[in-house]
Amino acid sequence: YTQFIKKPIYKSSIKYVLISSSENEGITTSEITLNEKLIATYKEIIKNGDILERVINRLQLKDITSEQLAKQISVEQVSTSSMIMITVSNEDPNMAQKIVTEVGNEFSNEIQNLYNLNNISLIIVIFNNK
């Protein structure tokens, strides 16, 4: 059934940790609280039409709208941590990998531009899970 009728869906994910943007050696409780509150905002930014349009243009994706691309993307907080995971589901494992990488890049750039913050850091990339 899965080999002949239903095409497999591949998932590629990246995880970001929200880190302190200051030069201090430690992270304060208030920074952790702020980062946890920013996660909800960051989820919305990642699925923003402008970011997705840039991804579509950069990857030269034909016949897909930002709304359709948004349906392939999930964003979630990892447990109760200051980490977020972006996952892209696609029938093509290579395309899932390319999209998640480009979404992550655009997200990082957008945070820098919007908030003048450098408080996110890529920690792990997981490619091509069925």
Side-chain angles (χ1 to χ4, degrees):
Y1 167 73
T2 58
Q3 291 178 344
F4 299 106
I5 298 173
K6 184 178 178 187
K7 292 183 180 180
I9 299 296
Y10 294 89
K11 293 183 179 183
S12 289
S13 302
I14 55 177
K15 288 182 184 178
Y16 284 93
V17 64
L18 305 179
I19 58 172
S20 173
S21 59
S22 66
E23 299 294 324
N24 298 337
E25 291 186 25
I27 298 174
T28 66
T29 305
S30 63
E31 287 173 326
I32 292 171
T33 303
L34 173 64
N35 284 341
E36 288 175 353
K37 290 181 180 181
L38 281 174
I39 288 174
T41 303
Y42 287 173
K43 286 180 180 182
E44 293 302 315
I45 290 171
I46 290 167
K47 294 182 110 180
N48 179 288
D50 292 339
I51 287 180
L52 298 182
E53 285 296 329
R54 289 195 298 265
V55 170
I56 289 168
N57 291 333
R58 192 168 303 243
L59 294 177
Q60 299 177 351
L61 301 175
K62 306 288 186 217
D63 302 322
I64 190 167
T65 65
S66 58
E67 293 84 13
Q68 291 169 323
L69 183 57
K71 291 178 183 177
Q72 294 181 22
I73 300 170
S74 67
V75 183
E76 60 189 55
Q77 181 177 7
V78 179
S79 191
T80 57
S81 67
S82 292
M83 294 172 47
I84 58 172
M85 183 167 59
I86 305 169
T87 302
V88 172
S89 301
N90 194 288
E91 293 176 353
D92 179 347
N94 295 323
M95 187 53 65
Q97 176 182 346
K98 289 178 184 178
I99 292 171
V100 79
T101 300
E102 196 59 41
V103 168
N105 291 339
E106 288 296 331
F107 165 62
S108 296
N109 293 337
E110 190 74 8
I111 296 306
Q112 178 68 34
N113 292 336
L114 284 175
Y115 297 108
N116 199 22
L117 289 175
N118 204 8
N119 73 335
I120 58 172
S121 187
L122 178 65
I123 60 165
I124 189 169
V125 180
I126 306 164
F127 290 130
N128 301 334
N129 295 328
K130 268 190 185 180

